Amino acid sequence: MSAREINIVVVGGSWSGVKAIRTLVNLAQSDYPNLRVTLVERRAHYFHITGAIRGMVDPSYAQRMCIPYDRMFSTGGIPNTNHAYIQGTLAQVHSRFIDLESGQRIFFDYLIIATGSQYHSLPVVQSTHYHEAQELFASMRASVQRANRILVVGGGAVGVGLCGEIADHYPDKKLTIAHNRMHLLNGDLADSFASSAETKLSRMGVRLMLGEAVLPAPNSPKNFVTPDAPQVFTTKSGKSIECDLAIWTTGGRPETRYMSTLAPSNWERPLVDAVRNRIRVRPTLQLDDDLYPHIFAIGDCNTLPDSEKYVAKACAQAKLAVINIHLMMDEGYDSRVRLSAQAGQEALARAHLLPYFYTRNSVVVPLGKKRGVTEAWGLRFGDIATRTKK
């Protein structure tokens, strides 16, 4: 057990960020009583996008899925003053501190970046407070209720799940999903798994348009605004789709502009992959630069393959990042690096950090409350397992 003061900052409170926070708090209780953990998150409440799609049709579920972050560091209603939650948006990352858009500066010994992806296609995901989220949920549900013909553009997990929720809740609506691949879901999943989801959606009355890229219509309203007149969309192949409501679920993109203030040791190899807008990491999940061994990036914002962006994989990354920070702390990296860069490097070498191991996909795709497909441990499961797991 060490009594030295250590500051660890986690930016981002989604699946991977919350897992990192919980693991760090346990570490503080067992080995490092003066470890201070700070969560920086732009929302006031925990919000998971996988649950948002059910909130678009079920108001009772929407009310339950927003959990205030300020409860995270409380035990029996009593706050733990060693740790802190700060609502704010990350503006700049520096070697030893971060700056928020509010102007607040937060210093750290170790930093975990878990900022995820931005899903601009779903308005509720942009909410920052509970009441704002509930108002957006109500607006989206009203748009879905008014529309008789609904087009979902994008057949990833969110688009497929949303189709399942709408078809389950409103079986009489005419629902179409268009996807630019010949199979639904991501390309890293087996075609047979995607085919299982396609078969179930078809049985639920959903029309599948696979291998069709939908072109944005000029002057079409933003998502979840039901227009006064039907909309007509055209695919690249020339097919027309008429609908009352179009919902775009074409995926998120990481927002990593905050990394521009962190200078790489080699300008020919920037810290961010400009093509994918993701932070380059080593197998240990540290930044891929010798200058910043104390900064880690996990989840959607790093350059691991798309197959490693599922919830279970993101949580595994969070756990590994904390394990490696623990190894560095045990060797005194945070104190020795203050003495000299060489002393810090020697401590880092002794830490023997662990690499991230790729494992089989574990994917749960619900199609409404009663149906779905699941793949875990290399096995395929159906409705009952999916309903229970979700």
Side-chain angles (χ1 to χ4, degrees):
M1 180 175 288
S2 173
R4 71 181 188 274
E5 293 186 2
I6 304 172
N7 291 291
I8 302 180
V9 174
V10 178
V11 183
S14 190
W15 290 100
S16 58
V18 168
K19 180 65 175 179
I21 288 287
R22 288 176 172 169
T23 310
L24 286 167
V25 169
N26 289 336
L27 177 61
Q29 293 172 345
S30 61
D31 294 341
Y32 287 87
N34 290 325
L35 171 61
R36 178 177 173 81
V37 182
T38 301
L39 169 65
V40 176
E41 165 60 41
R42 67 182 184 86
R43 297 187 182 94
H45 52 269
Y46 174 76
F47 184 98
H48 52 97
I49 190 171
T50 51
I53 55 179
R54 180 160 296 173
M56 294 177 194
V57 297
D58 184 346
S60 63
Y61 188 84
Q63 293 170 4
R64 296 197 307 270
M65 64 170 290
C66 297
I67 305 170
Y69 281 111
D70 56 13
R71 298 181 187 173
M72 182 169 294
F73 299 124
S74 299
T75 303
I78 302 174
N80 186 325
T81 55
N82 251 21
H83 312 306
Y85 152 68
I86 298 174
Q87 186 176 2
T89 300
L90 179 62
Q92 296 179 346
V93 175
H94 300 270
S95 180
R96 290 294 170 182
F97 61 87
I98 61 172
D99 287 330
L100 307 186
E101 288 185 354
S102 64
Q104 184 174 1
R105 177 164 290 182
I106 306 170
F107 290 85
F108 61 82
D109 294 301
Y110 300 94
L111 173 66
I112 298 177
I113 303 173
T115 48
S117 293
Q118 299 296 318
Y119 291 86
H120 297 289
S121 57
L122 300 177
V124 71
V125 179
Q126 306 307 313
S127 64
T128 57
H129 292 84
Y130 174 81
H131 293 295
E132 179 188 8
Q134 296 308 313
E135 288 174 0
L136 288 169
F137 269 129
S139 175
M140 291 188 295
R141 285 194 298 270
S143 293
V144 171
Q145 288 171 356
R146 288 195 301 268
N148 291 317
R149 298 166 299 174
I150 299 174
L151 169 65
V152 175
V153 182
V158 174
V160 169
L162 181 58
C163 274
E165 295 293 341
I166 296 175
D168 184 44
H169 204 79
Y170 300 104
D172 295 331
K173 291 188 183 294
K174 295 181 179 179
L175 190 59
T176 300
I177 183 169
H179 192 47
N180 59 2
R181 294 182 64 249
M182 294 309 297
H183 281 287
L184 293 175
L185 302 172
N186 296 341
D188 55 274
L189 298 173
D191 289 345
S192 58
F193 181 75
S195 295
S196 299
E198 292 161 12
T199 299
K200 294 194 175 190
L201 282 179
S202 296
R203 290 173 179 171
M204 297 172 75
V206 179
R207 176 191 177 199
L208 308 182
M209 294 188 68
L210 302 178
E212 296 286 354
V214 178
L215 303 174
N219 301 320
S220 62
K222 63 183 180 180
N223 265 352
F224 290 99
V225 177
T226 310
D228 295 330
Q231 302 176 80
V232 179
F233 291 88
T234 304
T235 68
K236 282 188 177 180
S237 66
K239 295 180 180 178
S240 295
I241 310 171
E242 189 171 290
C243 65
D244 303 312
L245 174 67
I247 306 172
W248 296 75
T249 60
T250 47
R253 180 175 172 82
E255 174 51 70
T256 54
R257 285 181 293 180
Y258 49 74
M259 292 293 293
S260 63
T261 50
L262 199 62
S265 58
N266 181 357
W267 287 99
E268 294 183 357
R269 185 169 177 76
L271 296 171
V272 175
D273 179 347
V275 176
R276 295 186 292 166
N277 213 36
R278 292 177 176 173
I279 302 170
R280 298 183 192 274
V281 294
R282 294 177 173 174
T284 54
L285 302 180
Q286 298 163 292
L287 297 196
D288 191 11
D289 195 302
D290 289 339
L291 290 178
Y292 310 111
H294 57 301
I295 301 179
F296 295 74
I298 60 176
D300 281 4
C301 68
N302 69 26
T303 48
L304 292 187
D306 288 343
S307 61
E308 306 309 302
K309 305 304 181 185
Y310 298 103
V311 170
K313 304 291 188 74
C315 290
Q317 292 176 43
K319 186 175 180 180
L320 176 66
V322 174
I323 288 173
N324 282 337
I325 289 174
H326 190 182
L327 291 171
M328 294 172 70
M329 289 164 55
D330 283 350
E331 293 299 332
Y333 171 83
D334 46 276
S335 59
R336 293 180 181 277
V337 75
R338 296 191 187 101
L339 300 176
S340 70
Q342 181 178 349
Q345 288 300 318
E346 291 172 353
L348 182 63
R350 292 194 300 270
H352 299 295
L353 303 190
L354 303 178
Y356 177 76
F357 287 101
Y358 294 82
T359 57
R360 289 179 180 268
N361 281 328
S362 178
V363 185
V364 180
V365 182
L367 302 173
K369 293 183 177 181
K370 299 179 180 180
R371 303 176 183 86
V373 290
T374 292
E375 186 169 275
W377 310 293
L379 302 174
R380 192 77 45 79
F381 301 93
D383 296 339
I384 295 176
T386 302
R387 183 167 65 247
T388 303
K389 179 67 174 175
K390 204 63 178 184

